[in-house]
Amino acid sequence: MKLTILGSGTSQGVPIIGCNCEVCSSPDPKDQRLRSAAYIETEDAHICIDIGPDFRQQMLRAQKTKCDAILITHEHADHVAGMDEIRPFNFMTQKPVDIFAEERVCKELKTRFAYIFSENPYPGAPRANLHPLGPDDVFYVNQTKVQCIRVQHGGLPILGFRIENTAYLTDVKEIPESEMQKLRDLEILVISALRKEPHYSHLSLDDALAYIKKIQPEKALITHISHQMGLHDEVQATLPDGVFMAYDGMMLTV
Ligand SMILES: [Zn+2]
Ligand SMILES: [Zn+2]
Ligand SMILES: [Zn+2]
């Protein structure tokens, strides 16, 4: 299995328009973060997790040309605003794209992208089949098994996903105790941390490190990073063994 970090930034991305801080001005490509998203390739499936506003650019940059399914963690714009960019897959396969998201998020997508889901979409509009999920659902993309994981994003219940021995949890504030059994024996845990200081709906770096210690994956990647986190290399130097700051384009083979 191959995991590609398509984007590792928080909702505004890094750099932020108009910000002159040390991180936003850094020439290090690892400090330049598009909105958080991932791409997973298994023996038989090509899976996108989240399609934020940078989706087109991310797929081109990573040279990914296939998409058998899109998994959506939640409805915030930094995770869904790329809906219109699925059209190349429609043209390539002559089929709607399969999108998996929880029931509430499916409803939200239908409202926000009414032109896609109307009775008579205009010619050339994106085409998608929505597959509503529950927090304990297991489903398949071709033969690849996907396990849903419930996490809390502040007051908003959202989804994470486990595919084989990799779990992707973004926009996390809390992982309910009941979900811990779904996170056993992980080779890779991708988990979000916004910055060092606490935030009402995101884990801080210390919070994320505490979860990593508890879950004990072989490797952990920190994603959904704000410019307030600090410079990539400086933060990386403070992390325990096996824990890595994700960066755009990072690739891991399991
Ligand atoms: Zn987000
Ligand atoms: Zn900045
Ligand atoms: Zn969010």
Side-chain angles (χ1 to χ4, degrees):
M1 200 205 78
K2 201 156 113 187
L3 164 73
T4 305
I5 298 294
L6 294 177
S8 58
T10 186
S11 56
Q12 294 191 83
V14 183
I16 295 176
I17 296 173
C19 183
N20 299 316
C21 80
E22 164 186 55
V23 175
C24 290
S25 331
S26 165
D28 184 351
K30 290 180 178 165
D31 285 315
Q32 292 157 14
R33 305 180 186 278
L34 298 180
R35 268 52 75 91
S36 288
Y39 189 83
I40 287 178
E41 289 155 271
T42 66
E43 293 258 293
D44 68 355
H46 303 81
I47 299 172
C48 300
I49 307 183
D50 286 336
I51 46 169
D54 303 314
F55 181 62
R56 171 178 172 275
Q57 188 186 348
Q58 290 170 328
M59 293 292 277
L60 288 171
R61 183 173 68 176
Q63 299 184 301
K64 302 301 180 195
T65 56
K66 291 182 180 163
C67 173
D68 299 310
I70 293 169
L71 318 185
I72 307 262
T73 59
H74 66 300
E75 64 270 46
H76 287 162
D78 53 325
H79 301 263
V80 301
M83 267 296 279
D84 202 69
E85 310 295 353
I86 64 171
R87 289 181 301 154
F89 306 112
N90 297 146
F91 298 135
M92 249 185 282
T93 63
Q94 293 297 307
K95 281 193 307 205
V97 175
D98 287 310
I99 297 184
F100 296 83
E102 69 184 292
E103 188 105 46
R104 177 195 77 235
V105 176
C106 289
K107 275 191 197 140
E108 188 63 37
L109 291 175
K110 283 185 195 166
T111 311
R112 247 187 266 174
F113 300 97
Y115 69 100
I116 297 176
F117 299 102
S118 75
E119 295 268 288
N120 293 304
Y122 60 76
R127 288 165 59 220
N129 286 332
L130 294 176
H131 302 272
L133 298 172
D136 290 314
D137 281 5
V138 170
F139 60 97
Y140 289 83
V141 178
N142 298 325
Q143 303 296 312
T144 296
K145 182 178 164 185
V146 184
Q147 163 79 63
C148 294
I149 299 161
R150 168 62 82 218
V151 298
Q152 284 295 132
H153 181 17
L156 189 70
I158 66 170
L159 290 181
F161 302 101
R162 177 175 183 153
I163 299 170
E164 295 175 0
N165 290 330
T166 294
Y168 185 89
L169 308 178
T170 190
D171 294 58
V172 181
K173 176 65 182 177
E174 195 194 334
I175 307 172
E177 201 49 47
S178 57
E179 301 304 280
M180 286 297 164
Q181 34 106 8
K182 297 177 185 171
L183 299 170
R184 282 192 197 137
D185 303 320
L186 286 175
E187 284 175 72
I188 301 176
L189 170 66
V190 184
I191 187 168
S192 55
L194 189 70
R195 60 188 188 193
K196 290 169 187 150
E197 297 73 33
H199 185 274
Y200 77 102
S201 64
H202 288 279
L203 296 174
S204 67
L205 183 58
D206 282 345
D207 295 336
L209 291 173
Y211 273 125
I212 291 166
K213 208 169 171 189
K214 187 167 173 186
I215 294 166
Q216 299 248 309
E218 283 177 27
K219 276 184 193 158
L221 309 187
I222 306 281
T223 194
H224 208 282
I225 295 164
S226 153
H227 66 152
Q228 295 168 332
M229 181 71 92
L231 292 168
H232 180 281
D233 286 354
E234 287 182 11
V235 180
Q236 179 61 54
T238 68
L239 297 181
D241 281 354
V243 183
F244 304 92
M245 295 279 280
Y247 55 86
D248 288 26
M250 189 180 197
M251 227 159 55
L252 288 172
T253 305
V254 177

